[in-house]
Amino acid sequence: DWVRRAIGALRRPFVIADTASDTGGSHATAMEKFRSTSSRLPPGMARFVAARGGRNLTESQYRMTVLVITFLSYMMYHASRKPPSIVKSVLNPTEEQRALGERGWAPFNGPDGNRLLGQTDVAFLASYSIGMFFSGHIGDSMDLRVFLTYGMIGSGVFVCMFGMARAWERHDMFYFIFVQVCAGLFQSTGWPSVVSVMGNWFGKSKRGLIMGVWNAHTSVGNIIGSLLASRMLRYGDWGAAFTVNGLLTVAVGLLVHGWLVVSPEDAGYQSPAGTAGDASKGEGGIMAGDGDALKPAIEGAQQRRKPQAAGFAAALKIPGVVTFSLCLFFTKLVAYTFLYWLPFYIERTEIGGEYLTAAKAGELSTLFDIGGVAGGIIAGYVSDRFNARSLTSAGFVYLSIPVLYMYREYGSMNMTANVCLMMLAGALVNGPYALITTAVSADLGTHESLKGNARALATVTAIIDGTGSIGAAVGPFLVGYISAHTNDWNHVFFMLYAADLIAGLLLMKLVIKEIRQMPMS
């Protein structure tokens, strides 16, 4: 091992290793290294390193901070999306609830209340999907930390504004549509940014499992958002369901601004093999035998490069981008139908002979997301184990069809059946959705056809998730329309079966290719 280190030092004579024998000027050397990288570190992280006497964090420590901060970031993005689904029944109560004195909230408490609620969902998701296509390209062209900070703060502000309608006595539909459109645009900054940052720090090895675990932020955010909103409903304040989540989103946005290190180069390290920043490989610190950087280079040896962002045409030509984009359209349609309408459906469905309150229905719906956490992790592990992203995704969507049928037909028998089938449905619905939006997007964003272009990851992610977000807008809109005109949830579930079937069929060409490439045992 010491021979390899010596050879590495001879090959990089400009690198100064900070070893234990450097007792004479170790402090001065550390401060010199700190000054060479501090201009690229976030303000909070730079102060923290300065407080350590200029001793930089290890690459593993930086990776952990990136995991935690991006997890918290997108967790709050999703938490702030949950209040609309939780308060739907309060804004538009049933006839039985009206008889008990619940008045609802104009304009949603009229006979077309479900349709109007569906329109607010569409306003948010349509602007989100449109903004996604632009956000990816913008994110590839500027500092992702700043971009993500603006997105989180703006998103939190407009989520709060929806809730403030209660205090401000706003009843005009234009106000709610305007707030949702603005919230959707700011929310579109999140996903391309966090996936791109993760792609910068983590190589292709075990990417599916790592991102499957990391993608639990989606379900954890849904759970936290549901529990916070349900708690506020118990206090009789539907407006606070929005403002609490919005303020927490702003707070995490400030955390991102102060502490998120976008790429290893910003901290003076090399990008791991197979990452978005792999084009700069070989320009930095000494690498030990196990692949961990011993110390970052000094004197600007790791200058972060800013290559041109990949255009949409180049990104669309990457094999698999169009197929997975269309697949995500249908899988996200199903996932977001549950995200926005599951609490409403639970409250209006008799379970074991009784109906639940809006608060209890919101709390029960979190079990769908708990199942989603397990589904994302399992899908990531299986896809890594067999190197089969397409086969794993197709298997999950095909299995979800009979499970969704059983949930509709038998979930009302008793609470045990409802809970078990709901969690299983959550695992199968969220598994492929999580896999495509994380590991698949990162794989395609670092595809060999890009020929070393390190700035394509956010663009590819935006194309895939932007297309999926159009489906996310269509699903809740159709649910609002179907439930308002037919009052029959069987038609809604028929739509979900068809969407999953189409998603599986779209992947069949890639599935066959993966099966043929598998080694024969």
Side-chain angles (χ1 to χ4, degrees):
D1 187 64
W2 68 268
V3 173
R4 287 196 300 269
R5 297 187 187 186
I7 293 173
L10 289 173
R11 288 178 177 174
R12 298 177 179 85
F14 57 89
V15 175
I16 299 177
D18 183 15
T19 64
S21 60
D22 264 338
T23 54
S26 60
H27 180 73
T29 301
M31 290 306 297
E32 185 180 3
K33 290 181 181 181
F34 168 67
R35 284 192 294 269
S36 70
T37 59
S38 61
S39 62
R40 300 192 300 275
L41 289 175
M45 186 64 75
R47 292 190 188 97
F48 179 71
V49 174
R52 287 162 47 94
R55 289 183 297 109
N56 204 3
L57 276 67
T58 65
E59 193 172 5
S60 297
Q61 289 171 332
Y62 275 118
R63 278 203 189 100
M64 184 56 63
T65 64
V66 168
L67 269 173
V68 172
I69 293 174
T70 54
F71 187 98
L72 291 174
S73 172
Y74 214 69
M75 179 190 77
M76 287 314 306
Y77 269 114
H78 256 263
S80 64
R81 297 176 195 176
K82 282 301 292 184
S85 69
I86 303 299
V87 305
K88 275 186 171 73
S89 296
V90 177
L91 300 178
N92 182 28
T94 62
E95 293 300 326
E96 293 81 3
Q97 291 169 330
R98 294 173 194 269
L100 295 174
E102 295 190 23
R103 299 169 52 192
W105 190 267
F108 305 111
N109 58 353
D112 59 346
N114 282 1
R115 182 178 62 84
L116 295 179
L117 288 169
Q119 288 179 1
T120 62
D121 293 341
V122 171
F124 173 86
L125 292 167
S127 63
Y128 175 81
S129 60
I130 294 171
M132 184 71 71
F133 289 102
F134 297 98
S135 293
H137 195 69
I138 296 172
D140 275 339
S141 306
M142 66 177 291
D143 189 336
L144 286 170
R145 177 178 59 86
V146 176
F147 187 57
L148 187 59
T149 300
Y150 288 155
M152 293 202 71
I153 293 176
S155 176
V157 167
F158 282 103
V159 169
C160 289
M161 286 183 64
F162 195 110
M164 291 304 295
R166 183 176 186 272
W168 295 341
E169 289 290 331
R170 299 302 301 259
H171 296 278
D172 51 308
M173 192 64 182
F174 174 80
Y175 174 84
F176 293 103
I177 294 294
F178 171 77
V179 167
Q180 288 291 77
V181 167
C182 293
L185 289 173
F186 277 104
Q187 284 257 342
S188 68
T189 62
W191 192 241
S193 300
V194 295
V195 171
S196 188
V197 171
M198 285 289 291
N200 288 338
W201 280 96
F202 293 90
K204 207 164 185 177
S205 176
K206 298 189 182 300
R207 178 179 279 164
L209 177 60
I210 291 172
M211 288 197 160
V213 175
W214 172 75
N215 195 65
H217 54 49
T218 300
S219 298
V220 173
N222 290 341
I223 293 168
I224 290 176
S226 297
L227 294 178
L228 288 174
S230 298
R231 175 58 59 182
M232 294 303 105
L233 288 187
R234 290 183 182 276
Y235 296 141
D237 188 354
W238 66 263
F242 289 87
T243 54
V244 169
N245 280 292
L247 291 174
L248 288 174
T249 303
V250 172
V252 176
L254 298 176
L255 175 70
V256 167
H257 182 267
W259 294 90
L260 181 63
V261 182
V262 171
S263 74
E265 289 90 343
D266 287 347
Y269 290 100
Q270 290 180 344
S271 293
T275 65
D278 193 24
S280 61
K281 184 179 177 181
E283 297 180 7
I286 302 173
M287 302 300 292
D290 60 358
D292 291 333
L294 294 177
K295 288 291 174 181
I298 65 166
E299 300 295 342
Q302 278 284 14
Q303 293 299 325
R304 187 177 174 192
R305 304 193 302 171
K306 287 275 187 180
Q308 290 272 331
F312 283 103
L316 286 171
K317 291 178 182 177
I318 299 172
V321 166
V322 173
T323 300
F324 277 108
S325 296
L326 294 174
C327 178
L328 189 63
F329 175 94
F330 292 100
T331 55
K332 204 166 182 178
L333 181 154
V334 176
Y336 269 63
T337 295
F338 281 95
L339 175 68
Y340 279 90
W341 286 95
L342 181 58
F344 186 87
Y345 170 76
I346 292 173
E347 191 208 359
R348 304 201 175 192
T349 300
E350 190 177 22
I351 302 175
E354 62 178 282
Y355 290 92
L356 302 180
T357 65
K360 288 183 179 179
E363 292 165 355
L364 181 63
S365 70
T366 61
L367 295 174
F368 181 87
D369 295 298
I370 293 175
V373 173
I377 295 172
I378 294 170
Y381 172 78
V382 172
S383 70
D384 277 344
R385 175 69 176 80
F386 299 101
N387 193 26
R389 309 283 198 225
S390 304
L391 181 59
T392 303
S393 300
F396 269 70
V397 295
Y398 283 137
L399 287 173
S400 68
I401 296 174
V403 172
L404 289 177
Y405 173 80
M406 288 190 291
Y407 178 67
R408 171 58 182 163
E409 293 297 320
Y410 306 112
S412 60
M413 292 176 56
N414 53 63
M415 186 60 71
T416 301
N418 190 284
V419 167
C420 293
L421 290 172
M422 188 194 308
M423 293 183 70
L424 183 57
L428 294 172
V429 167
N430 285 340
Y433 162 46
L435 185 63
I436 294 172
T437 54
T438 54
V440 170
S441 296
D443 288 349
L444 296 176
T446 55
H447 194 269
E448 58 185 9
S449 65
L450 294 170
K451 297 179 180 178
N453 188 339
R455 307 291 290 174
L457 182 52
T459 301
V460 170
T461 302
I463 290 173
I464 294 176
D465 201 48
T467 305
S469 297
I470 297 174
V474 171
F477 170 75
L478 290 177
V479 172
Y481 179 84
I482 293 171
S483 63
H485 287 77
T486 67
N487 198 30
D488 185 354
W489 283 92
N490 284 322
H491 292 87
V492 173
F493 276 82
F494 290 151
M495 176 190 74
L496 300 181
Y497 308 150
D500 273 337
L501 178 62
I502 295 171
L505 293 175
L506 284 168
L507 292 174
M508 287 311 298
K509 185 176 180 180
L510 294 177
V511 168
I512 294 172
K513 182 179 179 181
E514 283 184 350
I515 293 175
R516 287 175 177 172
Q517 291 176 346
M518 285 183 175
M520 301 298 292
S521 57

